[in-house]
Structures are given as C-alpha cells and as structure tokens.
Amino acid sequence: MEINKLYSLPKLPYAFDALKPYISEEQLKLHYQKHHQAYVNGANAVLEKLDKARKDNTDLDMKATLKELSFHIGGYRLHNRFWENLAPAGKGGGGTPKGELAKAIDAEFGKFDRFKKEFSQTASSVEGSGWAVLTFCEKTQRPLILQLEKHNVNIIPGFAILMVLDVWEHAYYLDYKNDRAKFIESFWNIVNWDMVSNRFDLLKK
Ligand code: MN
C-alpha cells in the first residue's frame, strides 16, 4: 500500500445541511471547506518546508517551524474528530451516552447532567479560540475533560481524545454571532454518542 506522506481533507460523514438547525449548511461548509482545509494546507506546507530544508541541507528556525506544525496538525486532527462525533439530530445525534461510557461518566461525574455542565462550562470559558475535549486516562481509568487553547495548548500527551467541541468563533459566528453559549447548548442535540461510546469501548479493551 502506498502511504500518502501529506495530509488531505477527510470526507464528511453527512451532507452539509444535515446538522440543521443547529449548524447551518453555510456555517458547516465554511468551517469544513475553508477552515479545516487551511489546517490541511498548513500542515503540508510545514512538512514540505522540512523536506526542502533537509534536501538542500539548510537550517530552519526549529522553534517556529515545529510550533506551526503542532498547530496545524492539531487543527487537522481535532476537526476530523469533531465531524465524526456529530450526527444529525434524531438520526444518531443527541440523547445521552449508553453502555460502558455512560457507566464511566456516572462513576466519574456522579451523573450525566454534571458532566454536561462541566463540559459546557469548559467550552464557554475558553479564552479566545479553542476546544472542550472529553478524554480518557488509561492509567487511572478516569474520563477527564480538557480545555485546549488554539489546537495544541493544554494537551496531555498520550490521552485519547474521545469527543471534542470546537469553540473557535469560525465554528459558530455565522449562525450564532457572539452567542457561544447558545452554540454550546445546540451541540448536545447533535452529539453522536454511538461513535463516542465505540471509541471508549475500543480503549477499554
Ligand atoms: Mn474549527
């Protein structure tokens, strides 16, 4: 099998208008075609810059270059996960987690509503651009919430990313203007809990 040594935009698992009314067609298109694509392009540009410098045996500003690489690959991967953990409302989207994930969330947070509140507060309090992330520590077997700034700050290396919510303004501004809280509330109607639960089950194996 030939390995593609550059990144490419993954296919969306639903139509552009499938997440209405919580995310409009225009908002989803812009987010996916322009913003997600920009991280793909950004990551590839850095990889090509690295390739070229090695080929020409020239020096790079490693600090700046690798910071840029982390930012763009972080953005690329988080968006992949974001599209996957969404589904049309009532057709796979919304409701509450089931199975082992539901048990783990109850054990950690007491009940689902407490998790939902903490996750929403995490998303609403991101300073500037960033993400709320549900993650899992295999060592302690605890589901944990992270608040990522940009795409790559506050990451805990090795922690699996189960579910993400993008709260960059580009994720919601067309639909919600500056009302991030309303976008966060809408998010719960389109969470693909089956996908998040499957990911959790794979980790627990
Ligand atoms: Mn985004």
Side-chain angles (χ1 to χ4, degrees), residues 31 79 166 170:
H31 195 176
H79 284 90
D166 187 344
H170 72 220

Side-chain angles (χ1 to χ4, degrees), residues 23-57:
I23 298 177
S24 70
E25 180 172 356
E26 192 188 11
Q27 178 73 72
L28 183 56
K29 256 190 185 166
L30 185 77
H31 195 176
Y32 170 76
Q33 291 178 332
K34 301 294 179 191
H35 293 281
H36 195 178
Q37 182 71 56
Y39 301 122
V40 170
N41 297 347
N44 289 338
V46 180
L47 291 174
E48 282 164 350
K49 192 161 84 174
L50 285 164
D51 286 344
K52 187 171 188 315
R54 288 164 189 167
K55 188 165 161 277
D56 300 344
N57 199 25

Side-chain angles (χ1 to χ4, degrees), residues 51-68:
D51 286 344
K52 187 171 188 315
R54 288 164 189 167
K55 188 165 161 277
D56 300 344
N57 199 25
T58 53
D59 287 343
L60 287 173
D61 177 343
M62 291 312 284
K63 183 179 168 182
T65 305
L66 298 182
K67 193 171 175 180
E68 210 185 332

Side-chain angles (χ1 to χ4, degrees), residues 85 92-107 109 111-117 119 134 143 162-163 187-201:
N85 71 223
T96 54
K98 312 236 161 16
E100 291 301 312
L101 177 62
K103 281 186 215 160
I105 284 177
D106 287 349
F109 297 93
K111 55 183 180 354
F112 177 72
D113 282 350
R114 174 72 200 191
F115 160 73
K116 187 175 166 181
K117 187 167 93 172
F119 192 90
L134 173 63
L162 298 172
M163 176 175 90
F187 166 73
W188 297 107
N189 295 295
I190 49 173
V191 174
N192 185 343
W193 284 114
D194 283 345
M195 175 66 86
V196 182
S197 301
N198 287 344
R199 198 166 278 138
F200 181 74
D201 292 342

